[in-house]
Amino acid sequence: MMSAVKKIVISEFMDEAAVDALRQRFDVRFDPALVDHPERLSAELADTHALIVRNRTQVSAALLDTAPALRVVGRLGVGLDNIDMLACAGRNVAVFPATGANAQAVAEYVITTSLMLLRGAYLRSADVAAGEWPRQALSNGREAAGSVLAVIGFGGIGQRVALLARGLGMTVVGHDPQLAEDAPCWREAGARCMALDAALELADVITLHVPLAEGTRNLLNDVRIGRLKRGAIVINTARGGTLDERALATALGEKRLGGAALDVFADEPLQHGSPLADAPNLILTPHVAGLTVQSNERVSSLVAERIAAALSG
């Protein structure tokens, strides 16, 4: 007797080619609007075997209770703070993140924003178009070569950032409590392992690549931000909540920092009235550092393959 076709629900956007590949073998309900309609999502999950999400769908214990047939969750990305891992484990639900598939995209974002903020010449186009000529004001930019980059969190993305930075002539230091000081990855990436505060205080550019957990919440707090080198640049593509946004905005406003780029926030979308709204020399992007045409194809394809294998086993 032929077994029933397994059902997959996709609650956020996914590359169409990967969705079509899944449709060849499974009953696929692809609706990126489901993330904003939890009642509809719960109803769809009543007879669903696999759920594919990005970072906005909250895979909580309560949501899992509405999905008695669920066997696997695919995460179109690497962060897992929107997924209750203990609840999944207790229900024998496997979780498959797209580890490594968006590392190049994030690393290029970090390097690009580092160069923009170090040079300081790219945010005055409107003034030049209006007939102003701020040549003297924009003549004091800094070169990346010879500067120090601190990579906080030295997993796959952090290592990729380090390799690109070394190609530009930057000195790279790093910190990761999960890695031994003599782990091969430090040498392979041309980086020096240091204690957190020592790395931060030495850096011209700081980039965060840590998950959001109790040990990393406000890792870059007001005290650490206050100790950063004057003119330092801060980049966060990891998770909102890993730095103190108010302290960062204050340091930017007082011109103690040279600039910052934030792709992630404690509350997403960024809330009205955020202290970041009026901070100078600040690049804000809507959680897209890991999203490019190529990375979306890689992430979607990887997750689709893992989901298909799990449901076929």
Side-chain angles (χ1 to χ4, degrees):
M1 183 176 179
M2 185 175 293
S3 60
V5 176
K6 301 286 197 311
K7 179 180 174 183
I8 300 173
V9 168
I10 306 168
S11 63
E12 299 182 61
F13 71 91
M14 187 175 182
D15 184 63
E16 287 283 355
V19 176
D20 288 341
L22 289 173
R23 284 188 176 122
Q24 303 305 310
R25 301 171 57 188
F26 305 100
D27 175 13
V28 176
R29 308 296 173 85
F30 177 38
D31 184 355
L34 282 174
V35 63
D36 295 314
H37 298 278
E39 300 85 0
R40 284 175 48 206
L41 177 58
S42 294
E44 285 283 6
L45 292 179
D47 59 349
T48 292
H49 302 88
L51 171 65
I52 298 177
V53 305
R54 285 192 179 268
N55 66 297
R56 293 183 58 220
T57 304
Q58 299 300 308
V59 185
S60 62
L63 185 69
L64 292 168
D65 285 341
T66 69
L70 194 69
R71 290 174 49 188
V72 59
V73 173
R75 167 69 169 93
L76 297 165
V78 294
L80 299 173
D81 48 290
N82 62 311
I83 300 175
D84 189 330
M85 298 298 289
L86 286 176
C88 286
R91 293 161 175 78
N92 293 316
V93 174
V95 178
F96 296 146
T99 304
N102 66 355
Q104 185 68 24
V106 177
E108 288 187 9
Y109 175 103
V110 171
I111 296 301
T112 299
T113 51
S114 296
L115 295 174
M116 289 181 66
L117 291 166
L118 282 169
R119 192 63 183 266
Y122 304 104
L123 302 178
R124 299 287 296 274
S125 294
D127 294 338
V128 175
E132 297 183 30
W133 201 246
R135 191 163 186 260
Q136 183 173 352
L138 299 182
S139 297
N140 297 311
R142 293 172 285 169
E143 297 176 1
S147 63
V148 177
L149 172 70
V151 182
I152 310 304
F154 211 68
I157 294 174
Q159 292 170 38
R160 191 71 59 91
V161 170
L163 288 169
L164 293 181
R166 291 283 294 159
L168 291 169
M170 300 179 83
T171 297
V172 181
V173 298
H175 172 78
D176 194 320
Q178 305 300 316
L179 292 172
E181 189 173 348
D182 60 353
C185 61
W186 297 111
R187 182 182 66 258
E188 291 165 359
R192 179 156 56 104
C193 177
M194 300 183 69
L196 175 61
D197 289 334
L200 291 175
E201 292 173 18
L202 187 64
D204 299 292
V205 181
I206 299 98
T207 178
L208 298 180
H209 299 285
V210 296
L212 180 61
E214 284 309 308
T216 61
R217 189 174 296 278
N218 276 342
L219 184 71
L220 206 56
N221 56 26
D222 58 342
V223 174
R224 288 192 170 114
I225 289 174
R227 291 175 179 166
L228 296 179
K229 184 185 294 187
R230 189 169 189 85
I233 287 162
V234 174
I235 300 171
N236 188 11
T237 58
R239 280 294 177 269
T242 56
L243 64 74
D244 185 327
E245 294 175 355
R246 186 171 296 280
L248 179 71
T250 298
L252 289 169
E254 294 175 352
K255 301 189 185 320
R256 288 187 283 115
L257 295 182
L262 302 183
D263 186 56
V264 290
F265 308 92
D267 294 306
E268 296 182 5
L270 190 65
Q271 300 298 298
H272 179 73
S274 166
L276 298 170
D278 299 319
N281 296 324
L282 177 59
I283 296 171
L284 303 176
T285 54
H287 207 139
V288 294
L291 297 178
T292 62
V293 171
Q294 296 93 332
S295 73
N296 190 38
E297 291 173 351
R298 289 192 300 268
V299 165
S300 298
S301 177
L302 176 60
V303 170
E305 289 171 4
R306 299 196 69 185
I307 291 289
L311 295 184
S312 301

